[in-house]
Amino acid sequence: MPASQPRSRARDRNNVLNRTEFLSLNQPLKGNQESRSSGRKQSGQAGAAGAQNSSPKERRQSQQLPEEDCMQLNPSFKGIAFNSLLAIDICMSKRLGVCANRASSWGGARSMINLLGITGHGIPWIAGTLICLVKSSTLAGQEVLMNLLLALLLDIMIVAGLQKLAKRKGPYDINPGLLDYLTMDTYAFPAGHASRAAMISKFFLNHLVLAIPLRILLVLWALCVGFSRVMIGRHHITDVLSGFVFGYLQFRLVELIWMSSNTCQMLISIW
């Protein structure tokens, strides 16, 4: 035992790691440990105090941020499909807007396309229906004209209400005309001219006796009126297609609430 103690002491002296300059490699100084631990405690206390001082709304926002980021980075399949269809609709509508302004490829035909669109406007149709109603002398003719007037008024109110709800702008920044402001047709969805043309053509096909060429021309007129609104840059393709659908639904509604001849005569006598 006495011989082993001097040997272990000699070994410790010869060990390089036991020198003072290498002590920090084996065992950190207590002062450093205490400073680090105190720094961690202070930062932890500061974070806890900040969390306590923050309002519950900020805490909820900080907790919701990761979920919102995940929602944006991983959209659903329906969202991707809807955004893709919307982008295609906007792109195709802009390409088909060949008469949107004078500098467009078909800018010279803009006045003619506008004239075609006026044939599907509500104000000329209401004025023409009232004139025909005044000049009509048959009960059947007055019944048809009164129900057509009802259909035109319903079309204006329904389209104006839907446009106020959707508030969708057209593919081009084009200000509505005076007639559009009178019928409150200031937004793009749904297309009022398309719904009116579809409703009128279906109404005439059901309640007027027309030859086959006239029936074909009536359908072609409705299609041309609808897509003329795309050509001048006022509506998207989906606006026109939805206008056709709403026009058919309005016709079905008028058929359900069809006014009889006695009701029409009573209204005419009051007027």
Side-chain angles (χ1 to χ4, degrees), residues 140-197:
Q142 291 175 356
E143 179 182 352
V144 172
L145 289 171
M146 281 296 295
N147 284 279
L148 177 60
L149 182 62
L150 174 64
L152 291 170
L153 294 176
L154 282 176
D155 173 76
I156 290 176
M157 290 187 293
I158 291 173
V159 170
L162 291 173
Q163 286 188 357
K164 290 294 183 182
L165 288 175
K167 291 185 178 181
R168 188 186 187 189
K169 299 291 186 179
Y172 291 90
D173 189 11
I174 298 176
N175 295 325
L178 178 61
L179 294 178
D180 295 329
Y181 280 111
L182 291 177
T183 56
M184 295 173 288
D185 188 10
T186 55
Y187 291 100
F189 180 88
H193 290 68
S195 67
R196 197 168 303 112

Side-chain angles (χ1 to χ4, degrees), residues 3 18 29 45 61 87 90 101 105 109 114 123 136 138 156 158-159 161 166 174 176 195 202 213-214 232 241:
N18 289 331
L29 296 176
Q45 291 175 358
Q61 289 179 353
I90 295 173
N101 47 56
S105 56
N114 275 326
I123 298 299
S136 178
T138 62
I156 290 176
I158 291 173
V159 170
I174 298 176
S195 67
K202 184 63 178 173
L214 291 177
I232 64 172
L241 295 178

Side-chain angles (χ1 to χ4, degrees), residues 227-238:
F227 284 101
S228 68
R229 308 299 290 173
V230 180
M231 295 176 67
I232 64 172
R234 280 280 284 118
H235 296 279
H236 300 87
I237 298 175
T238 52

